[in-house]
Amino acid sequence: MEVSKRQEQGLTVVSVSGRLDAATTPDFEKQGSAWVSEGGGTFVLDFTGLTYISSAGLRGILSLAKKLRATEGRLALCGLSGLVKDVIGVSGFEAFLSIYDTLDEVRQGDS
Amino acid sequence: VAEYVFPARMEVIPQVVDFVSEAAEAAGLDAERVMHVQLAVEEAVVNVAQYAYEGPPGEVLVRAQGTDQRFTVELVDTGAPFDPLAGEEPDLQADLEERPIGGLGIFLIRQVMDEVHYRREEGRNILTLVLDTDR
């Protein structure tokens, strides 16, 4: 798993690539806690480079969403494909977070 | 038949996933179905690592077998009797506040596998994951 974070126009964009699984998610959750304690706000997880996710990864997303909501922030996802799109789709996560096709759509939806 | 015994610990999941992926590729599964096998096996091993053994971790035997029509993975542990398929379905409509952290593992196994079976036999938990390969 590779994670990179950048700020743009009131958004925090976190690009996650590789695998979000039982082995890598603890590190993702640790980084997520640090981001939220640095200020929260609107976060976008860009999963364009993510090829695999398991229930551990879903737990990581859910835990970040809960932390952000506690700070009046929110979480959106974009760039889902293949297994990642299928797994997040069947798990019903769109009930509590916004899912966009591309980062551009997030920017437009947010302005 | 490919067979290997792993310690039932979260740390070995990447090795178990590599092991079954190799067997799945050798059985001719396409990339998407290999991922499905990886997902189901990860979830199953997480379960064993978390629930089967108290105290020092035990072991989980992983057996993968491909035939013309089916690719099968069996996971065998000697821990406490535990039927992972007996739990309740997760509430997929729940909002953020009501969402428990966890509980989706078995649900995902059912989503990606064609068949899932559990049996208790001679002091062992045996979980069988099956994909039809002739479709």
Side-chain angles (χ1 to χ4, degrees):
Chain A
M1 177 192 67
E2 298 286 325
V3 174
S4 69
K5 179 171 83 84
R6 65 179 192 278
Q7 302 285 116
E8 60 166 73
Q9 306 155 13
L11 294 175
T12 304
V13 180
V14 179
S15 300
V16 187
S17 57
R19 300 169 71 90
L20 203 49
D21 57 19
T24 59
T25 299
D27 185 43
F28 174 81
E29 287 193 290
K30 201 178 296 173
Q31 295 190 55
S33 300
W35 303 326
V36 175
S37 63
E38 283 162 15
T42 299
F43 273 64
V44 184
L45 295 177
D46 183 351
F47 283 164
T48 304
L50 195 70
T51 55
Y52 177 94
I53 192 166
S54 64
S55 72
L58 293 177
R59 192 190 65 222
I61 297 171
L62 182 60
S63 134
L64 180 60
K66 288 195 178 203
K67 289 191 182 102
L68 285 170
R69 184 168 292 186
T71 62
E72 308 289 307
R74 69 181 198 94
L75 183 62
L77 308 181
C78 71
L80 282 56
S81 64
L83 179 78
V84 175
K85 187 174 191 169
D86 293 345
V87 165
I88 291 175
V90 296
S91 303
F93 271 33
E94 71 273 27
F96 59 84
L97 46 75
S98 312
I99 299 177
Y100 300 86
D101 285 341
T102 64
L103 190 53
D104 268 339
E105 283 180 27
V106 184
R107 294 186 184 111
Q108 285 156 16
D110 224 68
S111 57
Chain B
V1 183
E3 197 174 289
Y4 203 90
V5 177
F6 297 90
R9 298 165 58 92
M10 300 289 274
E11 289 82 354
V12 302
I13 288 170
Q15 289 153 255
V16 183
V17 165
D18 283 350
F19 172 73
V20 292
S21 300
E22 217 166 277
E25 281 161 15
L29 270 65
D30 64 22
E32 185 187 14
R33 300 233 94 187
V34 171
M35 290 263 230
H36 291 167
V37 172
Q38 293 181 355
L39 178 59
V41 167
E42 175 182 330
E43 302 299 350
V45 175
V46 164
N47 241 4
V48 175
Q50 288 181 332
Y51 303 116
Y53 299 102
E54 281 189 39
E59 292 175 331
V60 56
L61 180 146
V62 182
R63 182 185 293 133
Q65 182 168 24
T67 66
D68 286 351
Q69 288 96 32
R70 289 150 76 85
F71 179 74
T72 305
V73 179
E74 271 192 341
L75 296 107
V76 183
D77 69 74
T78 55
F82 180 69
D83 179 357
L85 308 180
E88 278 181 34
E89 292 275 304
D91 178 4
L92 300 173
Q93 269 79 52
D95 188 30
L96 187 53
E97 312 304 326
E98 288 87 40
R99 280 273 177 161
I101 302 270
L104 287 169
I106 300 303
F107 169 76
L108 291 179
I109 293 177
R110 291 187 190 278
Q111 291 295 311
V112 295
M113 290 290 111
D114 292 315
E115 293 172 31
V116 190
H117 306 285
Y118 166 83
R119 67 184 195 275
R120 179 80 183 172
E121 200 176 273
E122 295 166 357
R124 300 173 303 169
N125 295 305
I126 304 172
L127 188 71
T128 309
L129 312 171
V130 184
L131 279 184
D132 298 331
T133 54
D134 61 344
R135 38 174 231 184

